[in-house]
């Protein structure tokens, strides 16, 4: 048994509700009605979206699921922007220290910070803003255009309309000025016939016509069963109806043929007319200009390449043919540039040479300048060079030239002192002379070294003794001293063999005479001598 969704505080209330429903079914109690005064069917649950067909209910209800009745507390009004409520005469406690308004504090003040705030000056107290608080419903909180005034958009429309009107007026004035100037020029040159005057007046009147009255221009129409093929899409009519149609340019029967099906006229309808005054010269013009000419050259290249054995076909592989034609043009341009460079290297290029001054080119000038024998100007002035906005002739470190005015051995430098170290102090002519002297000295040393390497020094041959020692050529030995030295040498060798005979206190003399040295050489054992065993 379905019951209405009612919450009960106790079992007694629940029991009473059940008894009331039973009485209503028996017809002993009045039926329950909704807020609209209609009877509620107890067999239909109130949470159902649609009642079953067998209950014959007039309409289901979902009122218990949605707050269908609007809350009177909700409002659709919006904030009153810029409204003020009270203007104080003096500063009040708790107000903003900057402007003096009570509706905000100093931190949230939007006024320019004053040098001395209103709290201390009691002057220029700002009025209190109108503070409003609204309780918006669900839709009001999410409405992007809540509080928007549609009348404010009229300003935007007026702004753009004024701009378009000013632009239109300016264009009309310019067009009228040009036409009037043209008419005045014609009147000054010769008398204009009445027919030409009528035409000029007609042009002026046409210029005065508003642009909006030009009919059918830039109008987009639907294309239905046209020669373009198909019945869908749109076509823009870019021809003003004032322009003469191509088939009306020449009404002669023997003139250029006009095909009404394709709307084409290949030949020129007015071949004898001045080309500068023609508006239309025939459709064949488009075949020899623009992309049509490029496509024609592409086809010719494909045919010629196929005749020379290349596997290329314009219709079968158009991308391949276009790529080959592009590569062919690149190679051709490189070859032409290479031939041009070769010719210029061999014969020169007069066009790239510097042009002669105007005085030399024309052989004369209007400026008269008189010089003396020393080259000083007596009469007239030389041409003054214009000065730039940058500082000129400002040098550093005592230099009289700028950096980069000197070039030598792949190095830049100063012309005044020929130094290649930037920001160095200028040494003037003395530095140049010192550098030249150092260069000359270095070159002389290098030349001397080369000569020394070519002619090595020849050293004198020394007179060597029998056993390889150096002996002066003028050495004279005393025989007696040599005999004594030989005895001493024999005694020394005996002491070396038997160390027991060596005395404790050895006397050593560093001075060695020539005889003692000769005795040492004579008694010295020579291992390379084959007769050494017979000397002892």
């Amino acid at each position: 048994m379905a019951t209405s969704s009612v919450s009960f505080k106790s079992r007694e209330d629940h029991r009473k509700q059940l008894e009331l429903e039973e009485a209503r079914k028996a017809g002993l109690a009045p039926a329950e009605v909704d807020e609209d005064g209609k009877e509620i069917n107890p067999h239909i649950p109130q949470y159902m979206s649609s009642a079953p067909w067998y209950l014959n209910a007039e309409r289901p209800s979902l009122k218990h699921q949605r707050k269908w009745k609007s809350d009177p507390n909700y409002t659709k009004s919006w904030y009153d922007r810029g409204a003020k409520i009270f203007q104080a005469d003096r500063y009040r406690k708790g107000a903003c220290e900057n402007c003096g308004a009570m509706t905000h504090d100093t931190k949230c003040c939007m006024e320019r910070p004053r040098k001395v705030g209103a709290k201390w000056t009691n002057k220029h107290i700002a009025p209190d803003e109108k503070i409003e608080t609204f309780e918006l419903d669900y839709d009001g909180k999410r409405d992007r255009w809540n509080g928007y005034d549609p009348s404010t958009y009229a300003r935007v429309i007026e702004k753009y309309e004024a701009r378009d009107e000013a632009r239109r007026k300016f264009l009309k004035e310019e067009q009228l000025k040009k036409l009037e100037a043209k008419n005045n020029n014609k009147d000054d040159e010769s008398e204009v016939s009445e027919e030409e005057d009528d035409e000029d007046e007609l042009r002026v009147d046409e210029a005065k016509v508003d642009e909006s009255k030009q009919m059918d221009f830039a109008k987009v129409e639907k294309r239905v069963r046209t020669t373009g093929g198909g019945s869908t899409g749109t076509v823009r009519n870019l021809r003003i109806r004032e322009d003469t149609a191509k088939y009306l340019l020449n009404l002669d029967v023997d003139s250029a043929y006009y095909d009404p099906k394709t709307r084409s006229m290949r030949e020129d309808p007015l071949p004898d007319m001045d080309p500068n005054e023609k508006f239309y010269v025939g459709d064949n013009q488009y075949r020899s200009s623009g992309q049509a000419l490029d496509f024609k050259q592409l086809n010719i290249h494909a045919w010629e390449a196929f005749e020379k054995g290349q596997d290329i076909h314009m219709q079968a592989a158009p991308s391949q043919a276009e790529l080959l034609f592009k590569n062919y043009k690149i190679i051709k341009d490189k070859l032409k540039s290479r031939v041009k460079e070769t010719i210029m290297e061999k014969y020169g290029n007069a066009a790239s040479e510097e042009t002669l001054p105007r005085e030399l080119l024309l052989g004369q000038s209007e400026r008269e300048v008189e010089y003396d024998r020393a080259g000083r100007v007596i009469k007239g002035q030389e041409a003054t060079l214009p000065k730039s906005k940058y500082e000129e002739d400002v040098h550093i470190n005592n230099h009289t030239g700028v950096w980069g005015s000197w070039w030598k051995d792949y190095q830049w430098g100063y012309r005044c002192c020929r130094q290649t170290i930037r920001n160095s102090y200028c040494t003037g002519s003395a530095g140049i002379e010192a550098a030249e002297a150092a260069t000359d000295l270095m070159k002389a040393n290098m030349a001397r070294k080369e000569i020394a390497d070519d002619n090595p020094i020849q050293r004198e041959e020394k007179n060597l003794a029998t056993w390889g020692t150096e002996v002066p050529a003028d050495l004279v030995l005393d025989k007696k001293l040599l005999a004594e030295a030989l005895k001493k040498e024999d005694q020394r060798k005996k002491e070396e063999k038997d160390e027991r005979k060596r005395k404790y206190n050895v006397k050593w003399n560093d001075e060695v005479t020539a005889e003692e040295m000769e005795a040492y050489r004579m008694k010295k054992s020579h291992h390379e001598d084959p007769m050494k065993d017979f000397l002892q």
Side-chain angles (χ1 to χ4, degrees):
M1 180 176 63
T3 59
S4 59
S5 56
V6 181
S7 58
F8 304 103
K9 296 182 180 180
S10 62
R11 291 186 178 181
E12 185 65 24
D13 296 339
H14 190 197
R15 186 181 61 78
K16 291 180 180 180
Q17 182 66 23
L18 292 176
E19 292 178 354
L20 181 60
E21 289 179 358
E22 292 293 337
R24 285 173 180 170
K25 290 179 182 180
L28 302 177
E32 185 179 3
V33 296
D34 56 8
E35 296 178 357
D36 297 336
K38 294 186 178 182
E39 184 178 352
I40 298 176
N41 193 342
H43 300 285
I44 301 177
Q46 297 302 310
Y47 55 83
M48 293 177 62
S49 62
S50 60
W53 58 272
Y54 51 83
L55 293 179
N56 296 324
E58 293 183 2
R59 60 171 186 170
S61 175
L62 294 175
K63 294 179 180 179
H64 65 285
Q65 295 185 3
R66 182 179 179 182
K67 194 174 183 180
W68 61 276
K69 193 171 183 181
S70 61
D71 194 339
N73 296 327
Y74 291 156
T75 180
K76 292 185 178 180
S77 58
W78 198 246
Y79 301 99
D80 190 2
R81 298 179 184 274
K84 309 296 182 180
I85 55 176
F86 179 71
Q87 174 70 50
D89 297 335
R90 55 185 299 129
Y91 181 79
R92 295 159 292 177
K93 185 177 181 181
C96 175
E97 297 179 358
N98 184 43
C99 65
M102 286 290 294
T103 51
H104 62 269
D105 54 1
T106 308
K107 187 176 181 181
C108 300
C109 184
M110 300 298 293
E111 189 178 336
R112 179 181 61 85
R114 302 182 184 180
K115 189 174 182 180
V116 180
K119 179 179 179 181
W120 295 275
T121 60
N122 273 331
K123 295 180 180 180
H124 306 291
I125 304 297
D128 299 342
E129 297 91 352
K130 185 178 181 181
I131 304 299
E132 297 178 283
T133 304
F134 299 119
E135 186 178 358
L136 302 176
D137 55 357
Y138 182 87
D139 294 331
K141 292 177 181 178
R142 291 156 179 81
D143 188 4
R144 294 177 62 241
W145 299 97
N146 195 359
Y148 175 72
D149 187 7
S151 61
T152 57
Y153 191 72
R155 304 175 191 171
V156 181
I157 297 174
E158 292 175 359
K159 176 183 176 182
Y160 281 93
E161 286 180 352
R163 187 193 67 176
D164 294 341
E165 183 65 26
R167 178 177 175 273
R168 196 179 300 111
K169 184 178 180 181
F170 174 77
L171 293 176
K172 293 303 176 186
E173 291 177 356
E174 292 292 328
Q175 191 173 4
L176 289 172
K177 288 180 182 178
K178 290 181 180 179
L179 291 174
E180 291 175 358
K182 188 176 181 181
N183 295 334
N184 295 332
N185 293 334
K186 287 184 178 181
D187 293 339
D188 296 339
E189 292 176 0
S190 61
E191 295 181 359
V192 184
S193 61
E194 295 180 359
E195 296 179 358
E196 293 178 352
D197 292 340
D198 295 339
E199 291 179 359
D200 294 338
E201 292 176 0
L202 180 60
R203 291 177 183 174
V204 173
D205 294 337
E206 290 177 356
K208 294 180 180 179
V209 177
D210 190 61
E211 292 180 357
S212 61
K213 295 182 181 179
Q214 295 179 355
M215 303 301 292
D216 296 335
F217 180 70
K219 181 180 179 182
V220 179
E221 298 178 351
K222 193 171 183 181
R223 185 180 64 187
V224 180
R225 294 181 181 177
T226 59
T227 57
S231 60
T232 60
T234 58
V235 61
R236 185 180 294 273
N237 186 5
L238 297 178
R239 184 177 67 84
I240 304 176
R241 294 306 178 189
E242 298 173 0
D243 297 337
T244 307
K246 62 178 74 174
Y247 52 84
L248 296 178
L249 294 174
N250 192 351
L251 299 179
D252 189 2
V253 180
D254 297 332
S255 63
Y257 174 72
Y258 175 75
D259 186 8
K261 184 176 181 180
T262 59
R263 297 181 182 179
S264 61
M265 181 182 288
R266 299 185 179 182
E267 298 179 1
D268 188 0
L270 300 172
D272 300 331
M273 189 177 177
D274 185 6
N276 297 326
E277 298 180 0
K278 286 184 180 180
F279 178 75
Y280 178 75
V281 294
D283 294 339
N284 287 337
Q285 179 193 10
Y286 305 121
R287 296 192 176 188
S288 60
S289 62
Q291 295 183 353
L293 184 60
D294 298 339
F295 185 72
K296 182 179 178 181
Q297 294 177 355
L298 177 60
N299 280 322
I300 294 173
H301 174 264
W303 298 337
E304 293 178 353
F306 182 76
E307 290 176 357
K308 293 180 181 179
Q310 291 285 342
D311 187 11
I312 180 175
H313 196 278
M314 185 60 196
Q315 281 71 32
S319 300
Q320 180 188 6
E322 187 174 358
L323 181 60
L324 290 176
F325 182 57
K326 184 178 180 181
N327 295 336
Y328 165 75
K329 289 195 294 184
I330 293 173
I331 296 171
K332 185 178 179 181
D333 293 341
K334 288 183 179 179
L335 181 61
K336 289 175 65 177
S337 61
R338 192 181 302 114
V339 173
K340 183 179 178 181
E341 291 175 358
T342 305
I343 296 174
M344 290 173 61
E345 289 177 359
K346 186 174 182 180
Y347 300 102
N349 185 10
S352 64
E353 294 179 357
E354 295 182 358
T355 58
L356 294 175
R358 188 172 183 180
E359 292 80 5
L360 298 178
L361 186 63
L362 302 177
Q364 62 183 358
S365 66
E366 299 177 356
R367 184 167 49 87
E368 182 181 356
V369 181
E370 186 178 349
Y371 300 89
D372 60 359
R373 292 184 178 181
R376 294 185 293 269
V377 179
I378 298 176
K379 184 179 179 182
Q381 293 182 351
E382 296 182 351
T384 57
L385 298 176
K387 292 187 177 181
S388 65
K389 63 180 180 179
Y390 304 101
E391 295 182 353
E392 296 182 356
D393 300 331
V394 178
H395 307 290
I396 60 174
N397 296 336
N398 202 27
H399 286 286
T400 58
V402 296
W403 170 260
S405 58
W406 171 255
W407 169 264
K408 186 178 181 181
D409 298 336
Y410 302 98
Q411 288 184 342
W412 293 103
Y414 295 98
R415 180 189 58 188
C416 52
C417 58
R418 298 183 183 178
Q419 293 195 56
T420 57
I421 301 175
R422 194 168 187 179
N423 297 329
S424 61
Y425 193 81
C426 182
T427 55
S429 59
I432 297 175
E433 294 175 358
E436 292 177 352
T439 304
D440 296 340
L441 180 60
M442 183 178 65
K443 291 181 179 178
N445 292 335
M446 292 175 64
R448 192 182 302 110
K449 185 177 180 182
E450 291 178 357
I451 295 171
D453 294 341
D454 295 339
N455 300 325
I457 300 174
Q458 296 180 358
R459 296 182 180 181
E460 297 179 356
E461 295 182 358
K462 295 181 180 181
N463 187 10
L464 299 179
T466 307
W467 310 113
T469 57
E470 297 179 359
V471 179
D474 55 348
L475 182 61
V476 179
L477 299 176
D478 192 357
K479 294 183 178 180
K480 291 182 180 180
L481 295 176
L482 181 58
E484 293 178 359
L486 290 173
K487 290 180 182 180
K488 289 181 180 180
E489 185 66 20
D490 292 339
Q491 186 179 1
R492 188 182 65 79
K493 284 191 174 184
K494 288 180 181 179
E495 290 178 358
E496 287 181 358
K497 292 181 179 180
D498 190 2
E499 294 183 357
R500 291 176 298 177
K501 294 181 180 181
R502 185 169 60 87
K503 296 180 180 180
Y504 182 77
N505 295 324
V506 179
K507 294 181 181 180
W508 189 262
N509 188 8
D510 293 336
E511 297 180 358
V512 180
T513 62
E515 289 78 5
E516 292 177 352
M517 192 67 191
E518 184 65 20
Y520 172 76
R521 292 194 194 99
M522 294 173 64
K523 294 295 182 179
K524 183 180 178 182
S525 59
H526 302 285
H527 300 284
E528 297 179 357
D529 189 1
M531 301 297 290
K532 63 179 180 178
D533 297 334
F534 298 96
L535 294 176
Q536 296 179 358

